[in-house]
Each structure stands twice: as structure tokens, then as C-alpha cells.
Amino acid sequence: MAAVKRKDWSRYGKWFRRILIDAGILDYRYPIKGCGVWLPYGFKIRRNVFQILRNLLDSTGHDETLFPLMIPETALAKESSHVGSFEEECYWVTHGGTDLLKIKYALRPTSETAIAPMLKLWVRSHADLPLKLYQIVNIFRYETKATRPILRMREVSTFKEAHTSHATFEDAEEQVKEAIIVYKDFFDAMDVPYRISKRPEWDKFPGALYSVAFDMICPDGRTLQVGTVHNLGQNFSKAFDITYETEKGEQEHIWQTCYGISGRAVAAVLTVHGDDYGVVLPPKIAPIQAVIIPIPYKNKAEQINKACKDIEIMLKKANVQVKLDLRADMRPGSKFYYWDLRGVPIRIEIGPKDIEQNEATIVRRDTLEKQTCKISGLVKTIQELMRTMMKDLRLRAWKWMDERVHRVDNLEDAKKLIARKEGIVEVLWCGNVKCGQKLEEVIGARVLGVPMDIEEKIDGNCVICGKTAADIIRVAIAY
RNA sequence: GGGGUCGUCGUCUAGCUUGGUCUAGGAUACCAGCCUGGGGCGCUGGCGGUCCUGGGUUCAAAUCCCAGCGACCCCA
């Protein structure tokens, strides 16, 4: 647990909405339901978060592209289970000027059907495969449920979607594995803990063979899906007739995967590390990694400010993202709160005492612990402290999550845990769809799916029907 | 999908039940000045609201009624 208390933590929803505005991350008061404005500071966090993802994808052979926002109805409708799920959820462009369009256009709810017609043109032979594309774009969904800032928007302003094409089913399976590793690396980089589950048949992506999802747990015990990986099989390639010529000269339909991560990843990192003082940002994604606050006693102000400026230059040279807060109309105490709220990992205080000793006072945001160090060793100390902080944030966050994943062997305990908002519950399951759905009904929670991140021998009986269990299944109240 | 609660300066809110004294009060933020300065000092002055929008009832509406828009909560 954090050294900094989370006394208001049960009212997580309220906390989250407050920090979005107060910390200058997202303003959701835009006059259209489910739309929000990324504010400058939040935009920087968002950019850092998605840059990590971008780097991971680039380094694993993915190429970034940009497809049009609009998808013609004729394309969206080609894969039947896909359109069935999305047509009610789309925003439709029906007019150009005052002319009624003969074929209406959807604002992309996701881009499989935008990409498919182009793949048909691009993929000619086995030599073109694998083809691994991605884009970071906005998507639109006409949500009928209550919208929530970042968590459920009608315009998802940040959506990284990767779309890959392969020659064989096996290659696609390998790609799913790679995608899972990429996502693990991504969340690990931000110290966000997760569980990986194979979604049940009835909750997979429309048009997929199967779906794998990353879930985290929010402070209120609900889970938040933060990433998904889908094996699409040949569903789309057959619907769009995307074929390639094999080495033997035969035409075969391609095998596809897709996987996505949205702005929820930003919500996740804010949620996991935040506390009563506001946001706590891991140094890797913090727009400002260290803030220097002068404690300018009268008649020493000049001397102190100069020392601060020297330190600023020193840190900049060492590639530390640093901010010197020289605002004269604000007392140091106010500045502490100001930067704590915004999650700046490290604070450097320079006052008369420090100057006398040729020292700096350093405070880490996660624990608010103070220490002093010689100015000559400041860069090294700060870099080390940031590493320590990341390690500690990770340990704390994973410990918190691990404590909220429960294994029980009977329905009563499962129900109690869910009712008490204790997070994820794992029970044994026979593998039958009917039992799975009944489980959701009886417990009053959603099935997340079968664990993909633990290897375990199954020994026991299904909590619903009592037959021999085939799998562990995870259940939780999901956002 | 079903049910409920709510909408007042940028933000949080008082007022609404019982319409009139509301020319809508406070706090915070913001601006100017003084004073300070190691966890939100203090003081003075200032800025800021067609009481979500539209309609209705009434001599009179922030307050009552209807619709729309928006927000939140609960259940499925």
C-alpha cells in the first residue's frame, strides 16, 4: 500500500473525474455527450504513453499507417457478425451538404472493414506476407450506456489498432502470441498490473475466432479491460475475398489478427498509482520528471534562484525532464500541492539551509519521503531515485492487484466476494457455455474468461453443474 | 435494455419542500496590490451567474408543470 493514504478510494469514480480536470488532463465538459478535450498536460501524458506502444510496435516489425475515418456501409456490412454488432453503435454520415448520400458512411467504430478492401489490393502473393500494420486514431461508438470520461467515450479519441495478415493459421497464432508480449511489455513499462484472459465465446470480438483481453482492477473492485487481441481467422478475408498466391501457385485466403489499446491505458496508469493528493506518474511517462521549487527567503532570493537555475541546466544536460517553478506569487507549500496533484515524480527544494550545505532536498512523489543530497551528486541521485520509484510502484501495484484476485471453490464465497467489490474471482468451470452464462447470472458479474497467464493442473468440479472441471474461469464486475 | 437522482459564477456549493424579501449568498480559483516564504499564511480591492435550453402555469418562477439536452447512481 502507498505511504500516502487513499482514504477516499471507495469513491473512485468521483476521484477520477476530479483529477482529470484538476490535474489538467481531460476536460469532458464539451457540449457533446461522450466527447472530451485532451488538455495540454494530459495530452503530453497521452503522447508519452502511446509513444511507448509505438516504439514497441515499430521494433517488432509493425508499420504505422493512416486509414480514412469514414467506412462505406457496403464495406462495413460484408462480415455479417461484425456489422450485426456494430450497425446500432455507429454514427452514420448520411448527407454531403444538403444531398442525401446514396450509400451512407460510418464513422469507424474500428477499422477492419476499412482496411480489408485495401488488403485485397495490396496482398498478391505469399511474399507480401506477413503484413503488419497499425494506426493510432479516433473511433466513434454511439454508446447508449452512461458515458464516462476516458473509460467510455462516444469518440474514443485515442485508439491504437493493429491489423496483421498471414499466410497460415499457425502464423496468425504466433502473431497473437507476439501481440500479447508487446502488450505485456507496454503495461510493464508503465507499471500497470493486469490479468490476461481468453474471453468466453459469447463475449468475443464480432468477427473473431477468439479474443484475449487484458484486465486491470480499479480501486472500486471493478475490472477495466485495457487491451484486446483477436484471432480473426479467415472471417474477414473470406467476406472480402482477400487471397494470396501460395508458393504452389494456388489462391488462398489470408489469416488475420487484430489487437487494440485505447486511451483507457492512460486511465489505467492514472488509476493504478494515484492517491489522495492526485496523480502519481511513473517517470517514464511523466511530462515533467522533476520540479525545482525555490524556498526564497527574503534577502537570499537571488542567490537561491541562481542555484535553482544552475540545477535546472545540470538536469537538462542529463536529459531529465525538468521544470523550474519560479512563480513569485505562490508560496512553496501551494506549489507542493500543485505539483503533487499533477504527479511529478520528483521534487527538488532549494532553500537557505540547502545552499549553506551545498545540498538539495529531494522528495519522491509516491511516498513523499524527503532526503538531502550534495548538489554535485544530484543527477545520479535523481536518476537512481526514479529507478527505485518505478520498482516500488510496480511492486505496490502488483501486490494490490494480486490481493484482489481470489480463488474459491464454491458459489457462495464467489458471490460474497463480488458483492463486497473485492475484485476478480476465479472458480472452476466445466467449459460449457450454458454453465458460464448461468455463472454470470447467479453471481451477478461478468465472465472475463479463462486465464492465459497461469499454467495450472485443473483438479475439481464445475461450481455450477458439478461435473469435472476443464478450466479456471474468472469473474468480475466490469466497467 | 429497465429504474432512480440531479443540473445555480471556472470549480464546489447555499437557496427550491411552503413561488415574492434573490438586484441569487458563500467558499475556492482567477486578476491587482501589500505581506510572506521548508506542506494550501494573512489582509485589501476586483473579476465572474440570461439560476442547462425551450415552452407552460402565475400579478410574480432559480423555486411549480412539460419536453429536450446533459450529468451521475443502481439493476439487467
Side-chain angles (χ1 to χ4, degrees), chain A residues 99-334:
Chain A
D99 296 340
L100 185 67
L101 297 174
K102 288 202 177 74
I103 295 168
K104 60 184 179 180
Y105 306 139
L107 301 186
R108 60 180 162 225
T110 173
S111 299
E112 285 71 22
T113 55
I115 289 170
M118 302 311 290
L119 290 178
K120 186 172 164 60
L121 299 174
W122 295 339
V123 177
R124 316 296 300 176
S125 83
H126 61 88
D128 297 324
L129 300 174
L131 182 60
K132 293 153 71 173
L133 304 175
Y134 77 98
Q135 60 178 358
I136 300 175
V137 295
N138 56 349
I139 56 172
F140 292 82
R141 291 185 186 176
Y142 184 67
E143 293 285 353
T144 51
K145 286 183 179 183
T147 52
R148 293 166 191 279
I150 303 189
L151 302 184
R152 182 173 289 116
M153 304 284 274
R154 282 184 166 179
E155 180 188 7
V156 178
S157 53
T158 317
F159 185 58
K160 188 288 302 169
E161 46 177 339
H163 300 269
T164 69
S165 306
H166 306 273
T168 65
F169 174 76
E170 289 70 29
D171 286 354
E173 284 287 272
E174 283 306 306
Q175 192 55 44
V176 166
K177 284 181 194 157
E178 181 185 77
I180 290 172
I181 291 169
V182 166
Y183 283 6
K184 275 179 160 178
D185 290 347
F186 171 62
F187 289 114
D188 287 346
M190 300 192 296
D191 305 324
V192 171
Y194 48 81
R195 283 292 189 276
I196 310 171
S197 311
K198 187 171 179 179
R199 287 280 187 260
E201 242 341 83
W202 62 92
D203 193 28
K204 64 183 188 186
F205 179 73
L209 295 182
Y210 66 86
S211 298
V212 174
F214 284 63
D215 296 288
M216 62 161 278
I217 303 179
C218 295
D220 58 4
R222 288 182 176 219
T223 56
L224 183 69
Q225 173 179 302
V226 289
T228 49
V229 181
H230 315 284
N231 189 329
L232 300 177
Q234 293 178 309
N235 288 340
F236 285 89
S237 65
K238 284 184 176 166
F240 284 84
D241 195 29
I242 308 168
T243 59
Y244 72 97
E245 189 173 328
T246 65
E247 291 171 45
K248 291 176 188 160
E250 294 156 344
Q251 291 294 315
E252 295 267 353
H253 287 106
I254 61 167
W255 298 82
Q256 293 175 286
T257 80
C258 67
Y259 31 104
I261 281 183
S262 74
R264 278 186 172 192
V266 178
V269 76
L270 300 176
T271 295
V272 163
H273 304 302
D275 63 26
D276 291 356
Y277 290 89
V279 169
V280 178
L281 294 175
K284 264 186 203 162
I285 61 159
I288 299 168
Q289 294 173 314
V291 62
I292 304 168
I293 298 177
I295 314 293
Y297 279 78
K298 218 174 178 172
N299 70 38
K300 283 186 184 165
E302 210 171 296
Q303 191 189 356
I304 287 167
N305 285 348
K306 189 186 174 299
C308 287
K309 281 176 188 164
D310 289 346
I311 290 171
E312 185 191 16
I313 291 166
M314 191 166 85
L315 290 175
K316 270 187 180 163
K317 272 187 192 157
N319 271 328
V320 176
Q321 296 298 314
V322 63
K323 165 91 185 168
L324 171 55
D325 188 352
L326 282 177
R327 286 176 292 181
D329 54 345
M330 220 170 159
R331 286 184 51 146
S334 302

Side-chain angles (χ1 to χ4, degrees), chain A residues 13-31:
Chain A
K14 195 167 182 175
W15 173 89
F16 186 65
R17 267 174 275 126
R18 276 250 62 82
I19 60 108
L20 285 182
I21 291 194
D22 290 352
I25 294 164
L26 184 100
D27 196 333
Y28 54 91
R29 292 171 300 176
Y30 190 77

Side-chain angles (χ1 to χ4, degrees), chain A residues 344-355:
Chain A
V344 174
I346 289 175
R347 177 170 81 232
I348 302 162
E349 301 173 19
I350 305 293
K353 292 176 214 159
D354 301 301
I355 299 255

